[in-house]
Amino acid sequence: MNNRFAVILAAGQGKRMKSNLYKVLHPVGGKPMVEHVADQVNKAGLKEAVTVIGHGADDVKKQLGDRVSYVFQEDQLGTGHAVMQAEEILGEKQGVTVVLCGDTPLIRAETIQSLMEHHERTGASASVLTAHAEDPSGYGRVIRNNDGHVLRIVEHKDANESERDVQEINTGTYCFDNKKLFEALRQVGNDNAQGEYYLPDVIEILKEQGKVVTAWQTPDFSETIGVNDRVALASAETALKKRINEYWMREGVTIIDPDHTYISADSVIGKDSVIYPGTFLHGTVKIGEGCTIGPHTEITDSRIGNNTWIKQSVISHSDIGDEVKIGPYAHIRPQSTIADDVKIGNFVEIKKTSFGKGSKASHLSYIGDAEVGEQVNLGCGSITVNYDGKNKFLTKIEDGAFVGCNANLIAPVTVGEGAYVAAGSTITDDVPGEALSIARARQTNKEGYVKKND
């Protein structure tokens, strides 16, 4: 039976961020920090996760939804006080509880599992997640005894010379026997300069009771980054970018310049795809195999098929098929579906449109609120005139139609199967299938006009 639980601390305001946005909602890798933590907790397979909320409570709940339970910390009186708010949900349960901070977006599910397994294996009452720091200045040092158990945790300012040489630091993530955690929390006092109740005091209480306190060291120091200001936020972003890019390169993706490629945590990329510099993948992006993406391309919450080429373009909330060529400088706006073998060329904007297999809009066109059939050709400067100032209307262009350059299709209108629209036409009525529609003024030449006006 799984008796593993988590408490995620996400109630603080984060004043050092100097932001109107609540601290744990600042994004790293395109996703709020607290969501990274909640996702990893869920991935670790814990039975229940409780998030302690305070400032920005409604926004946090909106972001995390029902993947966690919530308790409210009305007054922020320290980390110990925050964990104590979870007693109403977890207090009487037998098992093991891990306590994590909502501003540690790089923590991994594997690390959470390893810490809890170590805790259970050693029979400890508490276990501390530690890391090796090349420069431990400012961190609390973890001092072990001859058995490898935690003797004490010493803050940097309180450490003596030999203790400051210790490079094993406290990450602020802990694992506890659940019942012993809440029993010890009731004994924590607030006799300190801040008048707050600190979670690390539980470690000292358990030590005084003769309980075993152990430590497990993560091999990746970057996991321990806690974000308190914009400098740390940038450090976390850099570390996560490096982790994500290295993962996909090992999975068979070529990233030409990893330092200038930004892939969200929820993106998926098929093997033999090539990502060029200046590419940004936001949200949930799924890219198939053998694609070429970039340079300087931005894709948000979209699916890209196999062997598709996208260059210097923007794609948002859309579905792109196989063997498609997009760009340079194309814009695929939300709710667009681009079928296989389509070409969307330079300076073409597509909005809320289905674009059929084998169709082309090679340059300088706007196609909005439209249904474009298969094997359609849209000439340079083709426009679906979809908006009358109040409402949007649909344009239908059926299979095999040919629309000449600089044609305006005034919606609602249908161009029938195999029809032709002459260049320069403004079409206001439906065009029957296989017809030629011409809607432009007849050309008039005035002989000798230039000399007469000299």
Side-chain angles (χ1 to χ4, degrees):
M1 183 177 179
N2 181 358
N3 285 327
R4 292 179 175 179
F5 312 98
V7 176
I8 301 172
L9 305 182
Q13 186 174 4
K15 292 181 180 179
R16 280 181 281 175
M17 297 297 289
K18 296 182 179 179
S19 174
N20 292 326
L21 181 64
Y22 178 51
K23 180 174 76 167
V24 298
L25 293 177
H26 277 267
V28 173
K31 186 161 64 175
M33 292 189 285
V34 70
E35 190 171 1
H36 281 287
V37 178
D39 283 350
Q40 294 304 307
V41 164
N42 289 340
K43 185 179 176 183
L46 277 59
K47 186 174 184 179
E48 186 170 8
V50 179
T51 299
V52 183
I53 53 178
H55 293 284
D58 290 341
D59 291 335
V60 174
K61 292 172 74 172
K62 182 178 179 181
Q63 189 68 44
L64 299 183
D66 59 3
R67 75 188 81 175
V68 297
S69 302
Y70 301 94
V71 293
F72 188 74
Q73 185 187 21
E74 186 170 354
D75 297 313
Q76 279 67 61
L77 301 177
T79 52
H81 181 261
V83 176
M84 197 65 187
Q85 308 312 302
E87 185 178 24
E88 60 186 81
I89 296 178
L90 301 179
E92 297 302 317
K93 295 184 178 181
Q94 297 281 354
V96 177
T97 295
V98 62
V99 180
L100 309 103
C101 295
D103 61 1
T104 54
L106 275 73
I107 192 75
R108 301 180 203 243
E110 295 80 4
T111 297
I112 296 170
Q113 291 171 326
S114 295
L115 174 63
M116 300 186 94
E117 288 167 2
H118 168 85
H119 176 87
E120 293 165 342
R121 186 172 59 250
T122 58
S125 294
S127 298
V128 183
L129 179 66
T130 68
H132 176 86
E134 289 298 324
D135 179 9
S137 300
Y139 290 98
R141 309 303 202 278
V142 176
I143 311 300
R144 299 189 188 230
N145 62 19
N146 293 332
D147 296 325
H149 295 161
V150 175
L151 185 63
R152 61 186 177 276
I153 299 173
V154 185
E155 293 303 316
H156 179 85
K157 65 180 184 303
D158 299 323
N160 59 37
E161 188 173 343
S162 63
E163 289 169 339
R164 289 190 177 188
D165 289 337
V166 173
Q167 292 180 291
E168 186 176 20
I169 57 100
N170 176 21
T171 68
T173 295
Y174 304 92
C175 189
F176 298 96
D177 175 282
N178 189 66
K179 284 209 163 184
K180 291 175 182 175
L181 166 64
F182 289 103
E183 288 170 0
L185 279 170
R186 297 187 196 102
Q187 302 173 49
V188 172
N190 65 341
D191 186 18
N192 53 63
Q194 300 298 321
E196 294 185 348
Y197 301 86
Y198 295 131
L199 183 60
D201 289 352
V202 169
I203 302 295
E204 294 304 315
I205 290 170
L206 293 174
K207 289 290 297 178
E208 290 170 2
Q209 294 174 352
K211 308 296 186 184
V212 173
V213 177
T214 66
W216 186 83
Q217 185 177 118
T218 173
D220 183 2
F221 176 79
S222 72
E223 285 192 81
T224 71
I225 294 175
V227 176
N228 289 314
D229 58 24
R230 307 293 180 122
V231 175
L233 186 69
S235 296
E237 182 75 44
T238 299
L240 185 60
K241 175 166 66 73
K242 182 175 185 290
R243 178 195 293 180
I244 291 170
N245 289 353
E246 288 181 355
Y247 172 82
W248 288 116
M249 286 188 284
R250 292 190 178 100
E251 290 295 306
V253 176
T254 296
I255 300 178
I256 301 298
D257 185 356
D259 288 340
H260 297 93
T261 301
Y262 302 84
I263 301 171
S264 71
D266 293 329
S267 290
V268 177
I269 309 173
K271 67 181 181 180
D272 292 324
S273 287
V274 180
I275 313 296
Y276 279 86
T279 294
F280 288 77
L281 306 183
H282 303 291
T284 302
V285 176
K286 295 184 179 180
I287 295 174
E289 297 184 0
C291 294
T292 300
I293 310 295
H296 307 297
T297 291
E298 184 174 3
I299 304 175
T300 302
D301 291 325
S302 297
R303 185 196 73 88
I304 313 298
N306 298 319
N307 302 309
T308 286
W309 179 91
I310 302 170
K311 184 177 182 181
Q312 293 161 324
S313 295
V314 176
I315 298 172
S316 179
H317 300 85
S318 293
D319 191 278
I320 313 298
D322 300 339
E323 307 281 350
V324 174
K325 289 182 170 57
I326 295 177
Y329 310 113
H331 188 183
I332 312 298
R333 290 170 56 190
Q335 301 181 57
S336 294
T337 301
I338 309 300
D340 300 342
D341 301 310
V342 164
K343 180 181 179 183
I344 305 294
N346 51 293
F347 302 104
V348 174
E349 181 176 356
I350 306 291
K351 175 255 181 183
K352 199 177 181 181
T353 290
S354 60
F355 215 88
K357 183 176 180 179
S359 293
K360 299 178 181 179
S362 295
H363 30 226
L364 298 163
S365 295
Y366 170 73
I367 311 298
D369 295 284
E371 294 176 4
V372 179
E374 298 184 0
Q375 303 299 326
V376 169
N377 185 86
L378 298 176
C380 177
S382 297
I383 305 293
T384 60
V385 185
N386 58 330
Y387 185 48
D388 68 359
K390 292 183 179 179
N391 300 297
K392 301 289 180 69
F393 297 97
L394 180 68
T395 298
K396 293 184 179 181
I397 306 172
E398 295 181 352
D399 295 351
F402 184 99
V403 178
C405 295
N406 293 321
N408 297 305
L409 308 179
I410 311 297
V413 72
T414 297
V415 177
E417 184 174 348
Y420 274 65
V421 174
S425 294
T426 295
I427 303 299
T428 58
D429 298 314
D430 291 349
V431 179
E434 299 186 352
L436 168 63
S437 183
I438 305 172
R440 62 192 183 204
R442 185 176 298 275
Q443 181 174 329
T444 300
N445 296 329
K446 296 186 180 293
E447 299 288 341
Y449 175 84
V450 175
K451 286 185 177 180
K452 290 179 183 178
N453 288 277
D454 283 345

